[in-house]
Amino acid sequence: MSRVLIIGAGGVAGVVVKKCAMLTEYFSEIHLASRTISKCEKLQAEAGADRVVGVYAVDADDANQVADLIRQVEPALVINVALPYQDLPIMDACLETGVHYLDTANYEPKDEAKFEYSWQWAYQERFKEKGLMALLGAGFDPGVTNVFTAYAAKHYFDEIHYLDIVDCNGGDHGQAFATNFNPEINIREITQRGRYWQDGEWHETDPISVREDLDYPNVGVRPSYLLFHEELESLVKHFPSLKRARFWMTFGEQYLTHLRVLENVGMTSIEPVEFQGQKIVPLEFLKAVLPNPGSLAEGYTGMTCIGTYVTGIKDGQEKTIFIYNNCDHAQCNREVGAQAVSYTTGVPAMIAASMMLQGHWMKPGVWNMEQFDPDEFMNRLNQYGLPWQVEECESPFKR
Ligand code: NDP
């Protein structure tokens, strides 16, 4: 049986729903639930009611509501593309009802921007005992970047030593300021202190303070800033030979100026403030006035380039490779009415779901993407819209 329940109906969910709907051989029946049912109905109309056969309103902060829905739908797998806050209640519901689980972002508590796998890794024994699988972080970064690293380690190196994950959005959506995925989650992530792994420990940096100007294939040179990103935590655990692991993301001057102003006036804070007799969280209010990332697709031009530089040893020689994907915003819009950031997250989630349902990746417990054999997943990236390249190159990074 390959009936799936998708939770969430935002930018990423739109891509997951439409890609799953195209692939009858992997997904026999799709059910879609989210907080706002009208958004599910809209996606159902776009993907076809013969493929998305049921839509439901659910508050996924409440594990009991999710468990009731799972009992009603009886899926083989829940694909969680709601927000990171819902990860644990949805995992609880999967455990209670005996269903496999997949998500694209690690759990974070709403009142504390803290990105780590500890909460979800703590479910390892419970999933194992029930013979269930949870796959964590199955988007692009985390997700494909973890698989790129595993693929490099398997095919190109005897031992990997230096890892630099680079995420460039070279596109232009024509808005003064907008985020490409959920604004609340995105701004929490990038306003954190930077963090990277070196010589067996984490090192911290001030937010957006370390810059490299990197040359991205088919995009050009872009200022790239060191950030902490969640896949670093699992990758340094699963590849203990890594001496250094870092993550870089591009930001334009206009984006950074807006962000600085918003931070300076307190609009990115997650501390509640009193406003007209009620408590509001400034960042949640900011989200309400910013463009919906799902609405950016029309007229979005240019490409993303996300990839992984890996340096290591092969047959006694040091070498570096760069594995990357370019994704064209306009092409994604033509195919599924989405911009490339939603697309590059939704397609890997669909592929990872297909890998689980077909048994390529099926093992009781809680896993990150790099813990499975990468080859078939890499084939499916080429097949389903995210072709990748490998180049042997000089490392652009200093030691
Ligand atoms: P959106 O804000 O566009 O969509 C989130 C969806 O979740 C909305 O439909 C929202 O409902 C729904 N939702 C929120 N709270 C609840 C709840 N309590 N119960 C049920 N549904 C709820 O976000 P995106 O689509 O941009 O992002 C989705 C996920 O993908 C996020 O976790 C994000 O971190 C992750 N992501 C991962 C990436 C990767 O490469 N790994 C890259 C980009 C994103 P409503 O519309 O009613 O608010």
Side-chain angles (χ1 to χ4, degrees):
M1 183 190 64
S2 56
R3 185 184 301 147
V4 290
L5 171 62
I6 298 169
I7 302 184
V12 174
V15 177
V16 178
V17 168
K18 288 174 192 170
K19 292 297 267 194
C20 289
M22 289 171 193
L23 292 163
T24 42
E25 64 270 42
Y26 300 144
F27 306 98
S28 60
E29 211 176 283
I30 299 158
H31 294 252
L32 177 62
S34 191
R35 188 162 51 185
T36 313
I37 196 167
S38 57
K39 294 188 186 174
C40 301
E41 288 163 348
K42 182 168 179 286
L43 282 178
Q44 183 184 39
E46 288 169 8
D50 56 328
R51 297 293 292 128
V52 181
V53 299
V55 291
Y56 316 84
V58 71
D59 178 359
D61 288 323
D62 178 353
N64 291 328
Q65 277 194 37
V66 180
D68 287 345
L69 179 62
I70 293 175
R71 283 190 203 97
Q72 183 185 341
V73 171
E74 297 186 340
L77 169 70
V78 172
I79 301 175
N80 169 16
V81 275
L83 297 180
Y85 316 129
Q86 283 84 52
D87 289 1
L88 300 188
I90 299 177
M91 288 177 84
D92 286 331
C94 286
L95 273 175
E96 189 183 324
T97 52
V99 169
H100 303 299
Y101 170 90
L102 175 158
D103 69 30
T104 64
N106 71 6
Y107 172 73
E108 56 183 285
K110 218 170 174 40
D111 56 356
E112 200 186 355
K114 206 165 172 211
F115 305 91
E116 55 178 63
Y117 280 112
S118 59
W119 290 282
Q120 291 181 279
W121 282 342
Y123 281 68
Q124 171 71 276
E125 283 314 310
R126 277 173 281 166
F127 270 77
K128 231 182 217 167
E129 276 163 19
K130 292 230 162 171
L132 296 174
M133 171 167 167
L135 184 61
L136 309 183
F140 205 105
D141 45 336
V144 175
T145 50
N146 304 54
V147 178
F148 281 173
T149 307
Y151 188 79
K154 178 175 175 186
H155 294 286
Y156 289 87
F157 296 99
D158 298 322
E159 198 169 276
I160 63 172
H161 290 166
Y162 297 94
L163 174 69
D164 283 279
I165 297 168
V166 294
D167 179 338
C168 168
N169 183 2
D172 180 7
H173 48 51
Q175 305 273 343
F177 181 78
T179 63
N180 291 286
F181 66 97
N182 184 282
E184 198 185 322
I185 306 299
N186 188 201
I187 291 173
R188 281 162 72 109
E189 176 179 274
I190 64 182
T191 53
Q192 288 308 290
R193 288 179 66 70
R195 197 148 42 108
Y196 64 98
W197 179 259
Q198 186 157 6
D199 300 327
E201 57 187 6
W202 293 104
H203 298 260
E204 283 203 2
T205 62
D206 287 336
I208 312 189
S209 64
V210 180
R211 169 176 166 171
E212 289 271 355
D213 290 346
L214 300 174
D215 194 359
Y216 293 89
N218 301 308
V219 174
V221 177
R222 288 287 189 280
S224 309
Y225 296 86
L226 188 145
L227 296 183
F228 177 69
H229 223 240
E230 62 199 52
E231 65 265 49
L232 295 178
E233 186 187 9
S234 70
L235 286 167
V236 300
K237 178 174 178 208
H238 298 130
F239 293 100
S241 64
L242 282 171
K243 298 176 197 288
R244 188 182 67 201
R246 301 182 298 190
F247 182 95
W248 305 84
M249 189 177 277
T250 60
F251 299 108
E253 210 32 65
Q254 174 156 323
Y255 183 95
L256 290 178
T257 304
H258 277 79
L259 187 67
R260 253 177 243 126
V261 173
L262 291 167
E263 273 195 286
N264 287 342
V265 298
M267 282 306 297
T268 60
S269 169
I270 59 173
E271 289 302 319
V273 295
E274 196 75 25
F275 180 72
Q276 295 186 342
Q278 57 172 323
K279 289 231 183 277
I280 63 164
V281 173
L283 183 55
E284 288 178 6
F285 178 75
L286 177 63
K287 173 185 181 270
V289 296
L290 286 177
N292 170 4
S295 72
L296 299 174
E298 205 55 49
Y300 210 141
T301 55
M303 286 197 188
T304 61
C305 177
I306 316 177
T308 306
Y309 282 94
V310 183
T311 301
I313 300 290
K314 180 71 177 174
D315 300 329
Q317 298 283 329
E318 185 174 283
K319 66 174 188 176
T320 298
I321 63 164
F322 182 42
I323 314 185
Y324 66 93
N325 160 262
N326 279 121
C327 188
D328 180 26
H329 288 285
Q331 171 62 32
C332 300
N333 191 31
R334 281 193 293 276
E335 190 192 325
V336 289
Q339 34 90 346
V341 176
S342 303
Y343 190 89
T344 52
T345 311
V347 171
M350 175 282 288
I351 295 174
S354 75
M355 299 283 290
M356 288 174 69
L357 290 168
Q358 288 194 308
H360 294 286
W361 285 1
M362 181 45 70
K363 190 158 81 166
V366 175
W367 310 105
N368 296 86
M369 301 275 280
E370 68 274 22
Q371 293 180 276
F372 291 93
D373 187 279
D375 292 357
E376 180 55 22
F377 184 91
M378 293 290 277
N379 288 339
R380 290 184 190 196
L381 286 175
N382 281 331
Q383 216 175 331
Y384 297 118
L386 293 174
W388 45 272
Q389 314 287 330
V390 186
E391 282 171 10
E392 269 199 49
C393 58
E394 289 289 312
S395 171
F397 300 99
K398 292 186 270 311
R399 279 292 150 73

